[in-house]
Amino acid sequence: ASSGDETATFSMPIYACQRRTTLDHRNAVFTEALSLLAENAELSQDEGRAVAFRRAAATLKAFPEPLTDARQLRGCPCLGQHSLSVIQDILENGSSREVEATRRSERFKAMKLLTAIFGVGAKTAAQWFQEGIRNLPQLHQSGRVLTRAQQAGVAHYDDLTQSVTRAEADTIGQIVEEAVGAKLPSARVTLVGGFRRGKLSGHDVDFLITHPEEGREEGLIPKVVAHLEARDFLLYHKNNRNSYTEASGTPASTMDHFERCFSIFKLPMPEGGEPHSRQDDVALRRGECRRWRAVRVDLVVCPFSQFAFALLGWTGSKLFERELRRWATQQKNMSLSSHALYDNKQRKYLKAATEEEIFAHLSLEYIPPSERNA
Ligand code: GTP
Ligand code: MN
Ligand code: MN
């Protein structure tokens, strides 16, 4: 390796699921820039570009030292021309013109603001933007008919755009465990999503629920929801029934078919706590005291035999999951979902009771949740 230059080259595996990616890393300036471009591509519904930027950002999250010279990146995967030029721009000028222009653009700002409304996706926001809607007052004035989810999203906008703390996630965990325990003793509640990966804050709280006797978990969501509603813990919920059968099991699909509930919790706040949101400030100026805040919560119920797959699928990160499925398809001729792993060559489902067994089926080194932050 004595080609006459002094920069060491790292050999980095291609798929993010082959790498250990922790929350803290050395190149935030670069990963934040690339993530913003990924977000912008997502808001423009350009999935291909979004994934390319996400993969490039993930490469830099896994890069072991601060980047000072683009030559350090030789041998690193998933860095296309576009991402490299953004990186080069930051190295030379401290920031990327494209990123800063995007950040300031009217479209990006409005699309971010509108998609931050619970129940509003990129497609709806783009339509509204087209019609000249840029913010909540303009949305209100437009007289647009909103779905029930969007109405809740607007009503609790300030709370829901405020991140959820780990302490709040734990409090909600206790409330969920109490409700589940009351309806189905010895059911198991597991905190998944970003908090399981060790994040200190999140946009919501995700729980996976199962019961060791398969079948006992069926129909649990409506019962738990009724229990929570009776105790005034829910501001909004939408239940989905389980629609999974092995026959219908779409191979390597992102969407799953579990019984679930997308909800907004009414989380009691400790008396005399610090104000959280602008709504708090308003309430406090009016001399009112806010005793609760709204928090997004996802509840997912799975049959015990699918627990390991659901746990792996709901722990994330989104890119890590995508890379696992890509690895399974491209390298192993298998189809991975949050329900099962199918071996296309052997034409059979591969069972697993733990995440470790799934990694082993895929011939991957086991990566713990805290190192899945790709
Ligand atoms: P924050 O909530 O923003 O902190 O991050 P997060 O990683 O927890 O993201 P999110 O709550 O959106 O999702 C958690 C995990 O569940 C991710 O790995 C997603 O891919 C996965 N997930 C979310 N929604 C679905 C879904 O509808 N189906 C499936 N199969 N997985 C989902
Ligand atoms: Mn989450
Ligand atoms: Mn979620």
Side-chain angles (χ1 to χ4, degrees):
S2 58
S3 54
D5 69 74
E6 47 317 322
T7 46
T9 48
F10 291 95
S11 81
M12 193 187 291
I14 292 172
Y15 296 81
C17 56
Q18 298 173 286
R19 308 192 293 249
R20 298 175 182 276
T21 312
T22 52
L23 282 168
D24 61 321
H25 56 81
R26 318 294 297 277
N27 289 292
V29 187
F30 302 95
T31 60
E32 278 161 21
L34 293 166
S35 299
L36 185 137
L37 295 181
E39 192 181 5
N40 186 53
E42 277 153 13
L43 292 172
S44 309
Q45 294 169 85
D46 189 340
E47 188 67 8
R49 242 161 110 94
V51 174
F53 285 128
R54 292 272 174 225
R55 287 206 190 113
T59 292
L60 283 162
K61 286 179 194 172
F63 197 71
E65 59 187 36
L67 192 64
T68 54
D69 187 317
R71 283 177 300 182
Q72 288 170 276
L73 293 172
R74 269 179 304 189
C76 285
C78 306
L79 295 171
Q81 276 310 309
H82 197 154
S83 294
L84 280 173
S85 78
V86 170
I87 291 166
Q88 193 62 46
D89 211 4
I90 297 174
L91 283 170
E92 284 169 15
N93 310 307
S95 66
S96 147
R97 294 183 77 160
E98 183 185 4
V99 171
E100 296 318 312
T102 304
R103 199 197 302 280
R104 283 192 306 267
S105 82
E106 193 186 359
R107 183 184 163 87
F108 181 73
K109 286 192 286 190
M111 288 292 290
K112 266 200 80 135
L113 191 149
L114 294 172
T115 53
I117 303 170
F118 173 63
V120 178
K123 206 172 157 192
T124 303
Q127 215 170 336
W128 290 352
F129 182 82
Q130 196 77 38
E131 294 165 20
I133 299 169
R134 302 284 181 271
N135 51 42
L136 294 187
Q138 288 175 358
L139 174 61
H140 185 71
Q141 282 156 23
S142 75
R144 292 286 309 218
V145 177
L146 302 182
T147 64
R148 207 169 59 84
Q150 292 162 355
Q151 287 172 32
V154 169
H156 305 293
Y157 189 82
D158 281 3
D159 275 2
L160 297 185
T161 49
Q162 195 95 30
S163 56
V164 186
T165 65
R166 175 71 209 212
E168 288 168 333
D170 289 336
T171 305
I172 292 170
Q174 288 163 16
I175 295 169
V176 171
E177 279 191 13
E178 195 277 325
V180 170
K183 294 298 162 186
L184 184 61
S186 50
R188 295 181 195 170
V189 178
T190 309
L191 181 64
V192 290
F195 287 111
R196 182 163 184 255
R197 301 197 307 276
K199 280 177 68 178
L200 297 174
S201 68
H203 98 284
D204 69 355
V205 196
D206 309 284
F207 294 99
L208 180 62
I209 305 165
T210 192
H211 190 284
E213 281 172 61
E214 184 127 351
R216 295 285 300 279
E217 81 291 344
E218 276 172 35
L220 182 59
I221 284 286
K223 293 179 204 163
V224 168
V225 162
H227 187 90
L228 292 167
E229 268 194 320
R231 280 151 190 77
D232 198 25
F233 280 131
L234 286 185
L235 296 161
Y236 167 90
H237 74 273
K238 184 175 190 319
N239 299 352
N240 283 71
R241 289 208 299 271
N242 186 345
S243 59
Y244 179 76
T245 60
E246 280 200 350
S248 82
T250 40
S253 146
T254 337
M255 282 306 293
D256 63 44
H257 306 265
F258 293 122
E259 185 180 331
R260 71 168 71 166
C261 176
F262 295 124
S263 75
I264 300 175
F265 264 53
K266 183 177 177 179
L267 177 66
M269 290 204 299
E271 295 291 330
E274 289 293 308
H276 273 255
S277 67
R278 272 179 288 137
Q279 275 173 2
D280 283 359
D281 294 340
V282 172
L284 290 173
R285 263 184 268 119
R286 287 206 211 104
E288 298 163 13
C289 186
R290 286 207 73 207
R291 293 201 186 80
W292 56 270
R293 69 162 291 199
V295 178
R296 274 274 299 113
V297 176
D298 288 337
L299 304 175
V300 185
V301 172
C302 75
F304 198 63
S305 61
Q306 296 171 22
F307 179 73
F309 298 98
L311 182 63
L312 182 59
W314 277 84
T315 296
S317 70
K318 281 195 184 77
L319 184 75
F320 192 89
E321 302 299 332
R322 183 185 267 275
E323 292 283 278
L324 272 176
R325 292 191 299 269
R326 187 166 74 103
W327 167 271
T329 307
Q330 296 180 346
Q331 300 296 323
K332 303 298 293 180
N333 193 14
M334 293 179 186
S335 306
L336 175 68
S337 75
S338 294
H339 297 277
L341 178 62
Y342 186 77
D343 185 328
N344 294 302
K345 218 167 77 207
Q346 297 186 67
R347 292 173 175 241
K348 67 170 194 187
Y349 285 93
L350 305 178
K351 304 264 172 267
T354 62
E355 290 180 317
E356 282 86 344
E357 290 174 45
I358 303 174
F359 281 88
H361 282 318
L362 292 169
S363 319
L364 286 169
E365 203 180 321
Y366 176 69
I367 309 285
S370 62
E371 294 177 332
R372 296 180 202 159
N373 286 292

